[in-house]
Amino acid sequence: MQSEFHSSVKDIVSVAVEIANEKHLRKLNQNEQLSEIVQAMCTEFTVSKDPGIYALQLMEQDGGNKYVTEENRGEIKNGSILRLVLSPSEIVKQIIVRLGPKASDTDGKLWALSKLSTLSADPVFAKAFLARDGYKLITKMVLDVSESCANIMYCLRSFTWLMHHRLVPPIQDGFVKRLIDFVSSEKHLPVDLIECCLEILEKAVQQKEGAMMAGIGIPDLIQHLWNMDSPSIQVKTLAFINSLAQGPDSTKILGSMISKQMRDTIQNNILCSHVSPTMAHELYVYQTLILGLLQDSLTSTIDPLGTDAKYITELNSILASTNADMQNMKGSIVSLNKERDTMTLMDKDLPDVLSKPFVNEDFVCNHSVLICRLTLNCMLYFARRYCRTFMRMVLEEQALSRSFPFTCEHLIQSLCELLGVGKPLKHDGMYQPMVFTAPDDSSFMEELFCHAVLLLGTTRREMRARTPSDQEKVLCVLQRQLREALTLQPVTLEQLDENFRRFPYTVIAEKWQLEHEKKEEWQLTHLPPILQLKEQRSGAILELIEQQRINTLLRGAKFPKYTARGQRVKKKSWFVCLSTNQRAFHYGDCDDKDRLMLDCSSKILVCNIRMLVTGKKCPHVRDVRNRKSDQYTADLAFSVILDEEPHSLDFVAPDQRAFDYWTDGINCLLGNHMTSATKEAEFKMLLNLEVRLQLLDTEGVFLPSKPPLVPSDPPDYNFHYK
């Protein structure tokens, strides 16, 4: 055993050791070998068996246990609880014996399987179990059709931990087939068994073993989403479906995921009750996968002469069929351009939108508006479903000299950015219930687009946008409105519109202002360059406040008169001021009105002031009672203590501001620091104002948190000037 002479205090930890269900306090030397520590414990507590078959376990906060090894013994801290237990190799030996072909003890087999499922969470035990061909043993038991569901469940739970530790070799096809049979079985099987099967199958797909999943599809799994009594089953089922959708047979799986039956199942069995954070994440993954199907139409531009020609023709036909409605609408559009030219657009002939196609090859090529196919689909859906509203929006855009397809393209890009279409999964992503509650197979994006276009018109009118530059601001506001509304996760279109109404332009402007102020406040308190600037300007600000306090003393003030015992003298006041040369205070009685007495012959020299005291330390309020009114008087009292007669000059300020100003001013005269709360507030306000003024020239410029690197010196200083 290593001598404790070489151990420092930090190497000794105080722990509790549990032996035979009894805890014993012990000092543990971290420099000793674990085998020596175990042997010493066995000797100390007279353990009868060979010490070599024992080991220490660390009891963790979550209730689990972990075998202590030389690698992880650093996790033992003061107050840790250790247990003296059988070593991994010894407990594995006992488990193998009870699970062997010659074992006939049913209770012993159940004990071994239960112990195995619990201890497999420890990678040290898991490695010891696999070293004794444990993988083959549990695989064989799972494939044995004569085994009970309870025994198989224990085996699968152990298998799950082995996969978690990444200790499992490639899974056999027969093993996967057995799990698929359990999952797709119509029999009522234990919930724990189904959970283990789903978790193992999901991990198998994630570990690129999804090729063996050809025998299972969403029809085999949808029954488990109906199990509202077991939310964990629902979560694991949805997680497995998401994994399958990212596997080799993704096309087929995704086709089933966007079906109305699947979305109705999620709506009626999952969204109708509380959604846990784990389920919310799986719903977000599900949503991202099905919305990812829009990626191709988002990135591909339309082909006016090819596959998209029929859609363009239909759009033109809708425009042509609404000629009369367009003529009737023109009066309601006049207000949009009344602040523009004297002769407005609507005073002229209505633009002949029927004389040429609304979208054609020339438009796409010459106007630099490469519309994606998703935009065209949404525009066509808008025109089919909300024909009159569609025409109104077209005319409004034309009245503002804007291209409606360009606006729609911008809107589609914003929506796809907010929903993460084509983007990698985020850890904190949010699902949208409307994805699963849309009435048709593919109407979520189209309906969201239509309502967003209507919101665009409303926001534009709120902002009174008239020019193209105004329109850019409107689109920025619109994007924020969409983000805020979708963050509330509306379930229906009615809730979506209600959310839109909660975030008009005025609310968005207030939010931006608040965020800007918070950003400024953070910069003023965290950025090193600004902190350095504050430090440089602090002295000048303090001097300014000190001068303002001295000016207050020079102007003088009237104070209510109190007796030596702190009693207010009715209708009596006195006036005091600092002399121009700041060497003396002049004071004298005056009436209680604004007319001051001219006799201020009494004075005290500043050089004779020994100290300033406040509150109950003042001579004239030292003996006042603790009544509320008297306490208020004491809080506003201050005195200057003199080295000569009259020994003190006693004040009671009329209010807190006067108290702070005069005590600060007297402290300045005496060379002391100003200590009032008013001084702190004014200092902070003036310093921040000074810094903001200094930073006006840096508006919009990024301020780094670290200074730039100083370039190295040049080889010489022979500079050449032209």
Side-chain angles (χ1 to χ4, degrees), residues 585-605:
F585 281 102
H586 296 269
Y587 62 95
D589 293 338
C590 66
D591 59 14
D592 204 25
K593 298 181 179 179
D594 292 337
R595 296 188 299 274
L596 302 179
M597 294 184 66
L598 299 177
D599 183 13
C600 289
S601 58
S602 301
K603 71 175 182 178
I604 60 171
L605 298 177

Side-chain angles (χ1 to χ4, degrees), residues 585-646:
F585 281 102
H586 296 269
Y587 62 95
D589 293 338
C590 66
D591 59 14
D592 204 25
K593 298 181 179 179
D594 292 337
R595 296 188 299 274
L596 302 179
M597 294 184 66
L598 299 177
D599 183 13
C600 289
S601 58
S602 301
K603 71 175 182 178
I604 60 171
L605 298 177
V606 174
C607 62
N608 290 332
I609 297 177
R610 181 156 48 92
M611 62 177 1
L612 171 71
V613 295
T614 60
K616 285 295 188 69
K617 295 179 182 180
C618 299
H620 60 304
V621 295
R622 186 175 297 161
D623 299 326
V624 298
R625 299 177 181 179
N626 291 326
R627 292 180 301 183
K628 187 175 181 181
S629 59
D630 293 337
Q631 184 61 42
Y632 178 77
T633 300
D635 290 341
L636 297 178
F638 63 97
S639 298
V640 288
I641 309 300
L642 306 171
D643 290 330
E644 59 181 13
E645 291 290 345

